[in-house]
Amino acid sequence: MPTTWTQLSWQYPIIQAPMAGSQGSALALAVCQAGGMGSLPGAMLSPEALSAELKVLHEQAGSPWNVNFFCHTPPQPDEAAQARWLDTLQDFYKEAGIDPSGIPAGPGRVPFSHAVADVVEPFAPPVVSFHFGLPAPDLLARVKGWGSLVMSSATTVDEARWLQAHGADAIIAQGLEAGGHRGLFLSGDLSKQLGTFALLPQVVAAVNVPVIAAGGIADAAGVRAAMALGASAVQVGTAYLCCPEASTSAVHRAALLSTESHHTELTTLFSGRPARGIVNRLMRTMGPRHPAAPAFPTATAAVAPLRAHFEAQGLGDCSPLWAGQNTSGCRAVSAAEITRSLAQGFSRSSEPTP
Ligand SMILES: Cc1cc2nc3c(=O)[nH]c(=O)nc-3n(C[C@H](O)[C@H](O)[C@H](O)COP(=O)(O)O)c2cc1C
């Protein structure tokens, strides 16, 4: 069991980003078997599904792997906010012929907890990563106690310093280009969010733990640039979304491979927290960050039936089409092929000769 970053026995310091809702162990396993580090997103899995997925990686990965959780504080139930949100979406419900009165205010995503840790502990994953900060000190101590290395995302230099001070073993510098949820947790002010190549060198200078570059890295040149700016590894999400091993929906894949993917925005409509996705009809109609969207993760349940309705017609009008700003690396090829092409960024022979 590795206890330090340098003991990780991987061929390439490439982490396939955990992507809740778009992949399970199949993608993670393929990346591990290609010499990188695969990640399993745990935030949306039942305890039974989580256990089954962990078992696959524990038995077959053969390379360090990572399981990822969110560590937000769930909001108190707020019926008035839920009613306002349903009311705001009423034109879409009318068009889809959906009666919103039957829509439950489901939680959507659960944070890491001792109950979740009970499921994870028997597998003692080599790495456990978190989004939205770190879990409470007793829970973090439990994870470190069974031998996992702990990583978490920082979207500002202040967050990176906070994560180091609170026990992170490595820090993911998540630039503003990144697809999916912003990992922000100290400030919700989006004007404080930095692009990858502004954030990365400043985080490297501010902390003394390994820093992983994330956001907009889609090819070998991006890997090389991140390493030149001091990264110890890269974390890549969007470029893996069209691999056959991912569970990305058909409408999402089509959008990623089309020119639609050239326009992404940070939106709160699908969960309540800012996340980057391809601009679609819901975002255009409501504005990407509507004030009526309730607190994370409670916005999700109201949009879910609309998403299902339109996806059944082959439309992504109300789907969270998570994507980073650089979708040029999305290809319908195996995760091993994507990993190998990213790994060219570490090869000396690919450097230009002087
Ligand atoms: C579809 C999708 C889902 C994501 N879900 C998660 C998640 O569950 N947990 C997490 O820590 N990060 C998540 N992220 C963010 C990634 O960890 C990472 O920061 C991002 O993919 C890097 O930028 P890139 O997409 O430009 O490669 C997600 C990203 C995408 C694209």
Side-chain angles (χ1 to χ4, degrees):
M1 175 59 54
T3 50
T4 66
W5 178 263
T6 49
Q7 284 172 295
L8 289 172
S9 54
W10 49 356
Q11 199 178 344
Y12 310 117
I14 297 172
I15 302 170
Q16 163 257 311
M19 296 186 285
S22 292
Q23 53 123 163
S25 61
L27 181 65
L29 194 58
V31 173
C32 286
Q33 291 175 345
M37 184 190 292
S39 300
L40 175 71
M44 292 166 76
L45 297 179
S46 68
E48 297 73 26
L50 176 61
S51 181
E53 292 283 69
L54 290 168
K55 188 166 184 287
V56 171
L57 290 169
H58 181 69
E59 290 177 357
Q60 300 177 46
S63 182
W65 53 279
N66 165 42
V67 60
N68 170 265
F69 298 100
F70 293 168
C71 40
H72 58 286
T73 306
Q76 293 299 317
D78 184 340
E79 281 179 25
Q82 171 73 1
R84 250 193 329 271
W85 186 220
L86 294 177
D87 191 48
T88 307
L89 294 168
Q90 63 174 311
D91 287 349
F92 279 90
Y93 292 131
K94 271 192 205 126
E95 181 186 334
I98 292 169
D99 173 8
S101 63
I103 298 174
R109 297 156 176 93
V110 291
F112 192 62
S113 64
H114 279 291
V116 177
D118 288 344
V119 178
V120 179
E121 185 164 8
F123 302 99
V127 179
V128 177
S129 73
F130 295 102
H131 219 37
F132 316 138
L134 287 169
D138 61 323
L139 201 41
L140 182 64
R142 190 172 164 196
V143 173
K144 295 185 114 182
W146 70 55
S148 297
L149 281 176
V150 169
M151 313 193 300
S152 182
S153 304
T155 65
T156 63
V157 177
D158 284 349
E159 286 178 349
R161 286 205 184 92
W162 187 100
L163 290 173
Q164 175 172 269
H166 289 80
D169 298 306
I171 292 170
I172 303 153
Q174 191 199 30
L176 192 50
E177 298 92 323
H181 282 93
R182 305 296 306 140
L184 60 85
F185 59 95
L186 289 184
S187 167
D189 181 351
L190 294 179
S191 69
K192 293 182 176 171
Q193 299 281 290
L194 303 179
T196 303
F197 282 7
L199 179 66
L200 172 63
Q202 295 189 75
V203 170
V204 169
V207 300
N208 53 27
V209 293
V211 178
I212 297 137
I217 300 168
D219 56 21
V223 170
R224 212 173 294 131
M227 300 308 280
L229 287 175
S232 294
V234 295
Q235 177 161 298
V236 176
T238 299
Y240 283 105
L241 280 172
C242 292
C243 295
E245 297 93 338
S247 57
T248 312
S249 69
V251 293
H252 195 174
R253 283 175 197 263
L256 286 160
L257 294 172
S258 77
T259 52
E260 278 175 68
S261 73
H262 299 171
H263 188 192
T264 64
E265 252 284 21
L266 293 182
T267 179
T268 54
L269 301 180
F270 299 102
S271 71
R273 259 183 178 268
R276 185 173 296 284
I278 298 169
V279 174
N280 62 1
R281 184 154 74 100
L282 188 69
M283 287 160 73
R284 268 193 300 273
T285 309
M286 317 251 310
R289 297 182 292 278
H290 196 282
F296 182 87
T298 57
T300 308
V303 182
L306 294 171
R307 171 186 181 171
H309 170 83
F310 288 103
E311 284 193 8
Q313 300 168 45
L315 300 170
D317 290 26
C318 291
S319 301
L321 303 171
W322 302 142
Q325 287 181 329
N326 187 354
T327 52
S328 66
C330 291
R331 290 182 291 145
V333 298
S334 70
E337 193 168 330
I338 298 283
T339 306
R340 276 195 300 270
S341 57
L342 291 167
Q344 296 292 313
F346 305 113
S347 132
R348 294 197 142 267
S349 61
S350 65
E351 282 174 12
T353 41

